[in-house]
Amino acid sequence: MTEAPKTADLGAVIDELEKVVAEKPNNVMARHHLGLVYRQVGRIDEAIAQLEKAIELDNQSMESMINLGAIFFDRGDTDRALELNRQALAISPDMAEAHVNIGLIRQHRGEVDQAIECYSRAVQIDPKLLTAWINLTSAYTMVEEDDKAVDAARQAVTLEPDSAMARNNLAVALYFKGAYQESWKNMDKARELGYSVDSRFVDALKAKLS
């Protein structure tokens, strides 16, 4: 997903992008980035308007579709989010990020088996996509596929050893597999990396180790 410009003065970035859009209304990338920055500062309706305009100007603008879908997902409009990610996939069927996003929507709706299919497709396309492995771990855990959950979690940690979420997911997956010592080690690493581990999980793990 394209990120908004990294700067402490987002107001200046907005001013500059608004100037570009005013002077060149058909500049798709300017509208796209303006939408991202508007989202970053919480001007959501304006973000939607800019991203929608970017798509109107360029119906192949997959990044705008993906980012607009993320906004609608955050708003709870999973139908619109799903539609936008499907639009992106219609343009590029091997867009791994869109498969992950559709999986997340499916998982959010309780359609976990379908979510697993989406995440699995994403890692086939891009084996190094960390979010796909992290979400796949969570989905496998939900359906009590503990061995597969651990395997997916290990892939995530291998890709990014300092990912706090990957470490926490591995800890949870190992817990359900009964590997409590290794679970504690990874849970502790997740906390060290800044993850806010659920206190109920910590207590449950302590009980197993006592």
Side-chain angles (χ1 to χ4, degrees), residues 58-79:
D58 178 6
N59 62 9
Q60 303 294 301
S61 183
M62 295 178 293
E63 290 295 331
S64 293
M65 294 169 190
I66 292 292
N67 283 284
L68 185 57
I71 292 174
F72 281 113
F73 179 81
D74 289 344
R75 283 192 159 188
D77 189 347
T78 57
D79 288 339

Side-chain angles (χ1 to χ4, degrees), residues 137-210:
T137 303
S138 172
Y140 276 137
T141 299
M142 289 178 70
V143 296
E144 300 181 357
E145 291 274 5
D146 298 330
D147 289 338
K148 291 180 179 179
V150 169
D151 289 344
R154 290 196 193 283
Q155 288 284 353
V157 169
T158 298
L159 284 171
E160 185 52 73
D162 289 335
S163 168
M165 183 175 290
R167 287 284 183 177
N168 182 73
N169 282 6
L170 179 55
V172 172
L174 288 164
Y175 173 87
F176 286 114
K177 195 174 178 180
Y180 304 123
Q181 290 286 355
E182 190 179 358
S183 175
W184 182 272
K185 178 182 176 182
N186 282 279
M187 182 273 295
D188 206 35
K189 182 64 175 179
R191 289 196 295 191
E192 178 186 319
L193 291 167
Y195 194 88
S196 181
V197 178
D198 191 323
S199 60
R200 293 169 297 180
F201 175 60
V202 176
D203 292 341
L205 191 49
K206 283 181 178 177
K208 292 294 185 180
L209 290 169
S210 62

Side-chain angles (χ1 to χ4, degrees), residues 21 57 68 82 90 156 193:
V21 168
L57 290 167
L68 185 57
L82 185 59
L193 291 167

Side-chain angles (χ1 to χ4, degrees), residues 3 6 20 26 30 34-35 39-40 46 64 80-81 86 109 115 117 119 134 141 149 177 179 192 195 201-202 204 208:
E3 295 183 357
K6 302 293 186 181
V20 173
N26 293 334
L34 182 55
R39 182 188 181 196
Q40 191 171 350
E46 291 167 286
S64 293
R80 183 73 173 120
R86 283 175 171 167
R109 291 178 169 182
E117 291 177 7
Y119 299 143
I134 286 175
T141 299
K177 195 174 178 180
E192 178 186 319
Y195 194 88
F201 175 60
V202 176
K208 292 294 185 180

Side-chain angles (χ1 to χ4, degrees), residues 40-104:
Q40 191 171 350
V41 299
R43 295 166 62 175
I44 303 302
D45 288 339
E46 291 167 286
I48 291 172
Q50 290 300 328
L51 291 170
E52 286 181 336
K53 186 62 178 179
I55 295 167
E56 179 186 327
L57 290 167
D58 178 6
N59 62 9
Q60 303 294 301
S61 183
M62 295 178 293
E63 290 295 331
S64 293
M65 294 169 190
I66 292 292
N67 283 284
L68 185 57
I71 292 174
F72 281 113
F73 179 81
D74 289 344
R75 283 192 159 188
D77 189 347
T78 57
D79 288 339
R80 183 73 173 120
L82 185 59
E83 176 188 348
L84 285 156
N85 280 280
R86 283 175 171 167
Q87 279 183 253
L89 281 183
I91 299 165
S92 178
D94 287 340
M95 190 176 189
E97 185 179 356
H99 285 286
V100 171
N101 291 345
I102 291 174
L104 188 60

